[in-house]
Amino acid sequence: MKKVAIIDSGSGGINVLAKCMEKCPCFNYLLYIDDKNVPYGNKSKDELLRIAKNIILDLDSFFHPNIVVIGCNTLTSVAIDFLKEEFPKIKFIGTYPNIEEAKKLEKYIVLATKVTIENSPLLCEIQRKCFYPPDLPKVIDENLFSREKIKKYLQNTLPKEDYKAVVLGCTHFEGIKLELAEIYPSAQFFDASDRVTKELSRYAYGSSCQVQIISSREMFAEFYNYFSSIKSPSSSL
């Protein structure tokens, strides 16, 4: 069974894990929640490169992944090419804003972190279509079970337009689509993790999945409870 590690700083990686388990239930998954360095969206490029390299070194010391899914748009935009060069024996799959279909609907918005907007080649030509909700990933992680606080933040922060499409350029945002739909009721939503599962499926073969969740601070109970509320794992942790 191939080993797949999914890395992120918080609940965004859990959203990716849930989608991967649904679409590709034939891998040994390990979700690495780097909550020691949360959030990624306000860190420099050099700092993110150092963090990314240390995570892969740590994972390779005990899990030996065949595939690493970077379950974070920010870390993908900054570090994926660097990681491919540093660790050529590992297959890396990044998360990228899914803008192709949204562009066809013309009136769309891309919600992403500032670092993703500034470093993503996909977004460099459409920055006027992008919006950075300050600290939203942190707000989500701190209020996983207090949705009213998230809703209040969104209502006070997001632009009020009748968008036809909303591109979720951060995997954290995939967990709050119900709240976003209240603000943009006419919009279609496009997830980055859909592209991840499409690429991951190329390496799939028949078997049942195994799941582990670990944290860089060994304090993942809240994230595990959130994961369980989305999709219960089919095997023991």
Side-chain angles (χ1 to χ4, degrees):
M1 181 182 295
K2 289 187 182 295
K3 297 180 179 180
V4 177
I6 300 173
I7 62 175
D8 188 33
S9 62
S11 61
I14 298 177
N15 297 323
V16 176
L17 172 61
K19 188 70 68 70
C20 287
M21 285 183 60
E22 177 187 357
K23 301 294 185 180
C24 304
C26 56
F27 295 105
N28 182 358
Y29 288 105
L30 183 144
L31 173 61
Y32 188 101
I33 299 173
D34 185 26
D35 52 347
K36 180 175 67 175
N37 291 303
V38 65
Y40 286 160
N42 62 2
K43 291 180 169 54
S44 68
K45 181 175 181 179
D46 288 343
E47 192 173 4
L48 288 171
L49 292 178
R50 177 186 57 79
I51 289 169
K53 183 175 181 178
N54 287 340
I55 289 174
I56 304 305
L57 288 171
D58 191 18
L59 284 171
D60 205 33
S61 70
F62 70 93
F63 187 62
H64 311 298
N66 305 107
I67 303 169
V68 171
V69 173
I70 305 176
C72 171
N73 296 77
T74 296
L75 203 61
T76 296
S77 66
V78 171
I80 190 167
D81 291 335
F82 167 78
L83 291 176
K84 287 178 177 179
E85 292 183 5
E86 288 287 312
F87 303 95
K89 294 183 179 180
I90 299 174
K91 169 66 180 179
F92 288 91
I93 297 176
T95 53
Y96 301 92
N98 190 2
I99 62 174
E100 288 81 4
E101 294 300 316
K103 283 183 175 181
K104 298 176 183 179
L105 299 176
E106 295 185 1
K107 192 169 184 179
Y108 67 93
I109 186 172
V110 180
L111 303 179
T113 69
K114 183 179 180 181
V115 175
T116 299
I117 294 170
E118 292 175 347
N119 290 276
S120 172
L122 290 170
L123 302 183
C124 64
E125 297 181 358
I126 57 166
Q127 289 199 18
R128 61 187 179 83
K129 296 279 192 178
C130 300
F131 183 79
Y132 160 50
D135 296 323
L136 181 53
K138 183 179 179 181
V139 171
I140 294 171
D141 283 345
E142 292 179 350
N143 298 281
L144 292 176
F145 304 102
S146 304
R147 312 298 280 196
E148 288 302 318
K149 293 181 180 179
I150 296 174
K151 288 168 64 173
K152 184 176 180 180
Y153 173 91
L154 296 175
Q155 290 166 354
N156 293 334
T157 305
L158 296 183
K160 306 299 190 297
E161 297 285 346
D162 185 25
Y163 294 109
K164 302 304 178 185
V166 176
V167 178
L168 303 179
C170 174
T171 54
H172 278 69
F173 304 166
E174 296 181 21
I176 59 167
K177 280 193 286 188
L178 291 178
E179 288 77 13
L180 289 168
E182 292 186 15
I183 297 175
Y184 303 119
S186 301
Q188 294 184 45
F189 291 86
F190 296 90
D191 298 349
S193 57
D194 288 332
R195 298 179 63 176
V196 170
T197 57
K198 184 176 181 180
E199 185 169 356
L200 186 60
S201 66
R202 294 165 49 199
Y203 306 95
Y205 56 90
S207 186
S208 60
C209 69
Q210 298 177 6
V211 181
Q212 301 175 67
I213 302 176
I214 65 171
S215 161
S216 58
R217 294 191 302 184
E218 298 301 329
M219 297 172 61
F220 58 86
E222 185 174 25
F223 293 111
Y224 173 67
N225 289 333
Y226 177 62
F227 172 74
S228 297
S229 71
I230 298 175
K231 179 179 179 67
S232 298
S234 59
S235 60
S236 60
L237 296 178

